[in-house]
Amino acid sequence: MRQVRERCVWSQRITHRDLVPYLIEESHEVIDAVEAGDRAELREELGDLLWQVLFHSAVAAQDEDDPFDIDDVARGLTEKMVRRHPHVFGDAVAATPEEVLVHWNAAKAAEKRERRSVLDGVPAGMPALARAQKVLGRAAKVVDPSPVVDPTPVVERAAGETKRIASESALGDALLALVAQARENGWDAERALRERLRRLEDEVRAAEAG
């Protein structure tokens, strides 16, 4: 990575902001490989994602005001994981996944004392469905986030019925209600939609093939 950064004229000009689209693309390619169960593809895509981490670190190392490199990144990650796993690296006890989560959240809260809202730290750039699911989870710590809208009309329409949503605002309410339903059942709304789209794509390709 250092050689590429020093010798490639294209790489020399790249900034953190320039890399964002590539980071998003590579992340989704990893997700595709995981959900497709393609081991060879997963190995390759994890390498591409790792390259993005190395690239960002190389760019950061040249910052005049606050430089850091990949060793600093790895060191910080190691320290964080040790703090968040006191049942592994310390004397704490966690016999169930739920107890592990208690330790994790406690350590995270201690690290993020400057946060003033449970919504602080939720990335604005997340896909809308994934962000809605994250926000619902955070909001449940403060209020009852269950939407008052019944998502049944949307479900029935998807099943072939004729009921319809009356406005874009109502559609937003219904979508949030469906996300809440997914969260209550432990489902991943974003993945559910991706997998349904894959089935649709298969149907389209099958129809095109005759």
Side-chain angles (χ1 to χ4, degrees), residues 75-124:
R75 188 179 304 108
L77 175 61
T78 299
E79 293 170 355
K80 178 191 290 186
M81 290 303 105
V82 169
R83 286 196 305 272
R84 294 191 182 183
H85 292 82
H87 54 293
V88 175
F89 301 102
D91 298 328
V93 176
T96 66
E98 291 74 20
E99 290 175 353
V100 170
L101 194 58
V102 170
H103 291 309
W104 178 280
N105 287 335
K108 187 173 182 179
E111 295 165 7
K112 309 292 183 181
R113 288 195 182 96
E114 74 282 359
R115 291 183 176 175
R116 294 294 177 263
S117 168
V118 295
L119 300 180
D120 288 349
V122 178

Side-chain angles (χ1 to χ4, degrees), residues 172-188:
D173 290 338
L175 285 171
L176 187 61
L178 285 172
V179 172
Q181 191 176 86
R183 178 176 168 273
E184 289 169 5
N185 286 279
W187 301 332
D188 185 326

Side-chain angles (χ1 to χ4, degrees), residues 145-162:
S146 302
V148 296
V149 175
D150 181 1
T152 302
V154 173
V155 176
E156 290 182 346
R157 195 183 75 171
E161 300 294 333
T162 57

Side-chain angles (χ1 to χ4, degrees), residues 20-40:
V20 168
Y22 302 103
L23 179 60
I24 293 171
E25 181 180 350
E26 299 298 354
S27 298
H28 283 287
E29 288 179 353
V30 170
I31 293 169
D32 285 346
V34 169
E35 294 182 350
D38 190 325
R39 301 286 294 175

Side-chain angles (χ1 to χ4, degrees), residues 49-72:
L49 186 59
L50 176 58
W51 182 256
Q52 291 298 307
V53 176
L54 294 169
F55 209 149
H56 275 283
S57 299
V59 173
Q62 296 176 329
D63 187 273
E64 295 181 358
D65 299 320
D66 185 19
F68 61 82
D69 61 16
I70 189 63
D71 291 329
D72 297 314

